[in-house]
Amino acid sequence: MKLTMSSLSYFFIVVTLFIIPFFGCCAKAQLSPNFYARTCPSLPTIVRNAMSQAVAREARMGASILRLFFHDCFVNGCDASILLDDTPTFTGEKNASPNQNSVRGFEVIDTIKTRVEAACNATVSCADILALASRDGVVLLGGTSWTVALGRRDARTASQSDANNQLPSPFADLSTLISSFSAKGLTASDLTVLSGGHTIGQSQCSLFKNRIYNETNIDPGFATTRKATCPASGGDTNLAPFDITPTRFDNNYYKALVARRGLLHSDQELLNNGSQDALVTTYSNNPAAFSRDFAAAMAKMGAISPLTGTNGEIRKNCRLVN
């Protein structure tokens, strides 16, 4: 078939009109560290300053914000759905069993959002604020930094049942934990290094009571120490640290596992004659390897099923849909 110049021009125009929207759509779907470089250049400074103030008031808040981010990403992606309050017609994730009277730090995110809105109205998502705040909390407690890709949008809904079903249990065995992480596109190695987030923070007695009273793969002295503040009956909300330096991001969590001093059943499962023993041992001896791998795994977790482009919304108030 012979193509004239006019038909070639028409063909070029049609193909171009098809290709540009196609690539435009896919480009929007990609997260980028520079997403707000022009629309909200002060964002990183606003988040870092607010987190510095929050961690100065209470060092544990760094761990709380990190956990808030984890619990957000593991339930239908990193979309700030965990931040939504229940309403008379809407049941969110805050009162799901793994979250109720447990996840915290919502007021810190509210403060950051208020400051960001004052600087860059209706521009930055709550999901991105949470991603940045979790990184900064780790850094402020002495941990490694990582590049946070941005461009997430906020969910317009949340699911209490999904939170109950998708979040890994502190009572789970290794195979169940690996399956939970695999369902989110994360490997067994990701499980082991992300569990290292427990190098900061504390846990409630109800979550480790059975371990310290009934399990055998536990250092007896450690069990005795934990029993002092976690009685066999009552005291369920009493707190205990995951390792000996709960406000410093280091590799003591892994050293505790090697010593059979994992606080939760799910912690000690990472070193219990299973597939992750060697990696736990490596991290216990090599803090640089842990830091490197933790940074990579956090970036990977932060990319779980984000809402991008025209999906979702930019909430004005992180607790409510617009």
Side-chain angles (χ1 to χ4, degrees), residues 66-186:
L66 177 61
R67 183 167 183 255
L68 191 59
F69 185 50
F70 178 89
H71 280 223
D72 181 43
C73 290
F74 253 68
V75 182
N76 301 318
C78 309
D79 59 4
S81 56
I82 196 171
L83 303 179
L84 290 170
D85 284 343
D86 289 354
T87 71
T89 58
F90 170 82
T91 302
E93 298 166 20
K94 287 185 176 180
N95 289 309
S97 295
N99 295 334
Q100 190 173 35
N101 300 318
S102 176
V103 289
R104 58 199 297 272
F106 299 107
E107 296 81 5
V108 173
I109 301 302
D110 290 340
T111 296
I112 299 172
K113 178 62 171 175
T114 298
R115 295 178 185 178
V116 170
E117 284 295 302
C120 320
N121 181 51
T123 302
V124 180
S125 68
C126 300
D128 279 341
I129 287 171
L130 182 54
L132 286 167
S134 66
R135 188 271 311 274
D136 290 348
V138 167
V139 172
L140 288 162
L141 294 178
T144 187
S145 186
W146 61 92
T147 300
V148 177
L150 302 166
R152 301 168 190 80
R153 287 166 66 86
D154 298 323
R156 293 190 178 100
T157 187
S159 172
Q160 187 175 106
S161 61
D162 285 347
N164 282 324
N165 294 325
Q166 294 179 17
L167 287 166
S169 167
F171 310 108
D173 60 20
L174 182 60
S175 62
T176 302
L177 292 167
I178 290 174
S179 295
S180 294
F181 275 67
S182 177
K184 304 300 174 184
L186 299 171

Side-chain angles (χ1 to χ4, degrees), residues 174 178 268-279:
L174 182 60
I178 290 174
Q268 198 59 56
E269 278 291 288
L270 299 178
L271 194 142
N272 191 28
N273 299 314
S275 64
Q276 299 306 294
D277 286 13
L279 190 55

Side-chain angles (χ1 to χ4, degrees), residues 62-64 66-67 70 74 134 137-139 141-144 146 168 174 177 181 186-202 241-258 262-264 266-271 276 279-284 286-287 289-298 301:
S64 297
L66 177 61
R67 183 167 183 255
F70 178 89
F74 253 68
S134 66
V138 167
V139 172
L141 294 178
T144 187
W146 61 92
L174 182 60
L177 292 167
F181 275 67
L186 299 171
T187 66
S189 297
D190 293 328
L191 156 67
T192 299
V193 71
L194 288 171
S195 295
H198 284 175
T199 188
I200 50 176
Q202 304 179 77
F242 285 104
D243 69 19
I244 59 173
T245 53
T247 59
R248 192 173 78 228
F249 200 96
D250 53 29
N251 68 332
N252 279 335
Y253 169 78
Y254 297 102
K255 293 179 180 179
L257 299 186
V258 170
L263 186 61
L264 303 178
S266 57
D267 290 324
Q268 198 59 56
E269 278 291 288
L270 299 178
L271 194 142
Q276 299 306 294
L279 190 55
V280 168
T281 302
T282 295
Y283 291 154
S284 74
N286 191 337
F290 166 52
S291 292
R292 178 197 66 223
D293 293 351
F294 184 81
M298 283 299 297
M301 186 187 79

Side-chain angles (χ1 to χ4, degrees), residues 199-214:
T199 188
I200 50 176
Q202 304 179 77
S203 180
Q204 295 186 11
C205 164
S206 60
L207 302 181
F208 59 85
K209 183 175 293 189
N210 185 67
R211 170 153 169 75
I212 61 175
Y213 284 96
N214 298 317

Side-chain angles (χ1 to χ4, degrees), residues 4-25:
T4 66
M5 285 300 293
S6 59
S7 61
L8 278 171
S9 298
Y10 175 78
F11 176 78
F12 177 78
I13 290 168
V14 169
V15 170
T16 302
L17 288 173
F18 172 77
I19 289 175
I20 289 174
F22 178 79
F23 281 104
C25 116

